Amino acid sequence: MMQSITRSISRRLMLVVLATTFVALLISGTAMLVYDIRTYRDSWIDDLLTQADIVAEVSAATVAFDDPKAARENLALLRTRPNILEAAIYGPDGKLFATYFVDKSGDVKFPERPEWSGYRIEGDRISVFHRIVKNQEVVGTVYLRARYELLVRLKNYMLILASVMAGSLIFAALISTWLRAAFTKPILEITRVARNVMQRRDFSLRAQKSTEDEIGVLADAFNDMLNEVERRAKALEESNRILEHEMMERLGAEQALRVADRRKDEFLATLAHELRNPLAPLLNGIEILRAANTPPDVSQKARDIMERQLKQMVRLVDDLLDVSRITTGKLAVKKERVELQAIMRSAVESAGSFIEKCGHMLRTDMPVAPVYLDGDPVRLAQVFSNLLNNAAKYTNHGGHIVFAAALEQNRITVKVNDDGIGIAKEMLPRIFDMFTQADYSLERSHAGLGVGLSLSKRLIELHGGKIEACSEGVGRGSTFIVQLPAALRSGPSTDRQTGSSISPAAERHRILLADDNVDFATSMGTLLSAMGHDVRVTHDGAAALEVAAGFEPEFAFLDIGLPKLNGYELARRLREHPSTAGTVLVAVTGWGQEKDRALARQAGFDHHLVKPVEFAQIQAVLGTERRRDLKI
């Protein structure tokens, strides 16, 4: 046969090719066999070391807390690894702590002492030792012993190698060509796109799909993954933008809270100062009136001072009530057809004395023809009076104030201009905020509470108008502009009684006073008695009911918060009794909201006076007819 081969060049060439191919396959197969044996050994060692590390991790606590039962349970989990024949855990003293073995005969010998961490191969067995470390301290050792089936793997590998060599000689070229066309090229395309995405951060790139098999599915999955990554990247960018925006809003809110807290402290300090100011003149006036042989003119002057300071305290209390109504949204107005000029005159009358006291020149400019609007005359006069008072407060002595109004296209414009201290540009946007003041200097003697402009703004808005402040800067004066809608049809203004001094009735009346504030009730009773009225004073509801039964008063001034029997119940019982059914009942209370007035009406009161009550209000009630007018 060898002769036939050597004689044929084609066979010789075939032999050379086959021999070369065979030798190449044999060398590569042998090299792969050696590599596989080494890889098998390394992978098996790594697997056992990993298993030992897992056992050490889960058993560290059991060894530390001396719990052999839990350690044996952990080792029993190795039954899922049938190649592991024996396992043990040694304590920190090197003694056996827990064991596990597959051989049920019991003929199992464990090393007496653990060795250092590592492995040892003995024939078809391989042993591993691994330290148990907890909190950087060695608390024990894990020991594993398993089968090392190298010969079985070597036999199986030889069979596989022979088959691969035979198949490789036949199909190598075909498979190589096919793999390149069907497998290698698409994978390289995906690799190229992935590299470009990582380098350029361009998630819009996509791998080109060339087949419909698993490689095509891989390309689709890779492209879908890029779509998801692109979507999440955009969502992350949007989330970052939202977080930045929310952070800015939170910083702004924190800053606003700090500003509000500072304004609150400033308001409380100003309130304490403003409330203390009237107390000293009141105390001085009391001492003057108490002193013997005080001249009549001095006594009158003291009374005037006390009246002014008391009105100042009443104004402060009214401002505080208005603050409460603003914050609770209960501030309301009662609109009626009124004349603008009458409101302006009322405001000038209210603020005129203060402007004159400050030494200012006031010039008013009103429309010649009557101008009407639908509004609350008291509240509008309060707004204009407040603006005039502010102009006087923040203008140095001898300044000029202009109070002007005009009608333009069914729109009323009222301006209050002064040449005072002006308003800084940074203050203009918040000049109408609660508790804001343009000047906190100690030299300014009339500071106020910082609620007037905020209240004025709210009142003007309730009338469907708007108010704005203008100033060219500090020291250059300021102008406040109020715009209100004019009435569509002109009409006469409502006649209102603006005077506070009402002549006392000529008749002598029977009057019942019931108030638990002894000083108020006693002083008011003294004044009424001095006017010639027959007065009875009580300090609780039960006593008032008892006195009224025999006294049959024509007028009864009743506090609401009376002990034993409150004012509402007292009024109901007086209405039920025949002798007091026609008595004019007047509620005298510190509660003045609309719901309080409604409760008073339901209880049977004819009038509702809010403390502090001026004597002129008492006189006005006594001037009414002895009947139930229900003028609450």
Side-chain angles (χ1 to χ4, degrees), residues 237-256:
E237 292 176 358
E238 181 65 23
S239 178
N240 289 337
R241 285 194 294 269
I242 294 175
L243 287 176
E244 291 177 359
H245 179 69
E246 290 180 350
M247 186 176 297
M248 294 301 296
E249 288 186 342
R250 180 172 297 179
L251 291 175
E254 291 177 355
Q255 180 65 23

Side-chain angles (χ1 to χ4, degrees), residues 234-375:
K234 291 181 178 179
L236 182 60
E237 292 176 358
E238 181 65 23
S239 178
N240 289 337
R241 285 194 294 269
I242 294 175
L243 287 176
E244 291 177 359
H245 179 69
E246 290 180 350
M247 186 176 297
M248 294 301 296
E249 288 186 342
R250 180 172 297 179
L251 291 175
E254 291 177 355
Q255 180 65 23
L257 286 175
R258 284 193 290 269
V259 172
D261 186 66
R262 177 176 58 81
R263 290 182 183 173
K264 178 204 67 176
D265 294 339
E266 293 170 351
F267 166 73
L268 292 176
T270 303
L271 175 62
H273 176 268
E274 291 295 313
L275 288 176
R276 288 192 187 101
N277 278 343
L279 295 179
L282 286 172
L283 292 174
N284 293 337
I286 291 173
E287 292 299 327
I288 292 173
L289 296 177
R290 185 181 295 169
N293 301 322
T294 302
D297 58 336
V298 175
S299 298
Q300 182 60 42
K301 186 176 181 180
R303 286 193 292 270
D304 294 341
I305 292 174
M306 294 174 67
E307 182 179 3
R308 286 197 302 272
Q309 297 303 321
L310 184 59
K311 289 182 178 179
Q312 172 68 5
M313 293 192 71
V314 171
R315 185 185 64 81
L316 291 175
V317 173
D318 288 339
D319 285 346
L320 291 176
L321 291 175
D322 286 335
V323 169
S324 175
R325 295 186 185 104
I326 290 175
T327 55
T328 57
K330 297 179 180 179
L331 188 65
V333 295
K334 297 181 179 179
K335 294 183 179 181
E336 57 186 70
R337 184 64 54 84
V338 292
E339 182 185 343
L340 173 65
Q341 288 86 339
I343 296 173
M344 295 179 66
R345 285 191 291 269
S346 177
V348 171
E349 180 181 351
S350 176
S353 60
F354 180 68
I355 295 174
E356 183 178 354
K357 178 182 176 182
C358 294
H360 303 318
M361 294 289 294
L362 174 63
R363 180 170 65 87
T364 59
D365 185 6
M366 305 182 190
V368 177
V371 177
Y372 297 95
L373 69 155
D374 294 323

Side-chain angles (χ1 to χ4, degrees), residues 342-574:
I343 296 173
M344 295 179 66
R345 285 191 291 269
S346 177
V348 171
E349 180 181 351
S350 176
S353 60
F354 180 68
I355 295 174
E356 183 178 354
K357 178 182 176 182
C358 294
H360 303 318
M361 294 289 294
L362 174 63
R363 180 170 65 87
T364 59
D365 185 6
M366 305 182 190
V368 177
V371 177
Y372 297 95
L373 69 155
D374 294 323
D376 187 328
V378 175
R379 287 300 194 177
L380 289 176
Q382 179 184 0
V383 171
F384 297 147
S385 174
N386 178 54
L387 295 180
L388 291 172
N389 281 327
N390 276 355
K393 286 179 186 178
Y394 299 108
T395 301
N396 294 326
H397 185 81
H400 299 80
I401 301 173
V402 178
F403 185 28
L407 176 63
E408 298 176 356
Q409 297 180 351
N410 295 326
R411 196 75 175 172
I412 298 172
T413 302
V414 180
K415 297 182 180 180
V416 177
N417 176 265
D418 63 72
D419 54 1
I421 65 172
I423 305 172
K425 290 184 178 179
E426 60 272 15
M427 282 292 296
L428 281 173
R430 52 190 181 92
I431 193 66
F432 292 101
D433 292 346
M434 191 72 74
F435 312 138
T436 298
Q437 295 190 26
D439 183 13
Y440 288 97
S441 62
L442 297 177
E443 293 79 4
R444 189 67 53 186
S445 60
H446 306 289
L449 299 180
V451 300
L453 289 180
S454 179
L455 174 63
S456 298
K457 183 175 184 293
R458 180 58 180 155
L459 289 173
I460 293 301
E461 290 175 348
L462 289 175
H463 283 83
K466 63 179 181 178
I467 182 173
E468 59 180 331
C470 305
S471 178
E472 296 182 1
V474 177
R476 307 187 66 176
S478 58
T479 301
F480 286 85
I481 304 173
V482 177
Q483 292 186 337
L484 293 166
L488 297 179
R489 292 182 297 176
S490 299
S493 60
T494 303
D495 293 334
R496 299 180 61 89
Q497 187 173 4
T498 59
S500 60
S501 178
I502 302 176
S503 300
E507 299 181 13
R508 182 174 181 270
H509 298 295
R510 296 186 304 277
I511 302 174
L512 173 64
L513 296 178
D515 199 305
D516 58 347
N517 187 330
V518 177
D519 291 340
F520 170 76
T522 302
S523 60
M524 185 60 68
T526 301
L527 287 174
L528 291 172
S529 297
M531 294 178 62
H533 299 293
D534 187 5
V535 182
R536 299 289 187 273
V537 178
T538 60
H539 304 297
D540 63 75
L545 185 63
E546 182 179 353
V547 170
F551 182 52
E552 297 185 5
E554 300 174 67
F555 295 87
F557 294 86
L558 310 177
D559 185 20
I560 298 301
L562 289 171
K564 298 183 181 180
L565 191 66
N566 65 61
Y568 295 136
E569 185 61 28
L570 176 59
R572 293 188 184 94
R573 296 193 183 185
L574 290 176

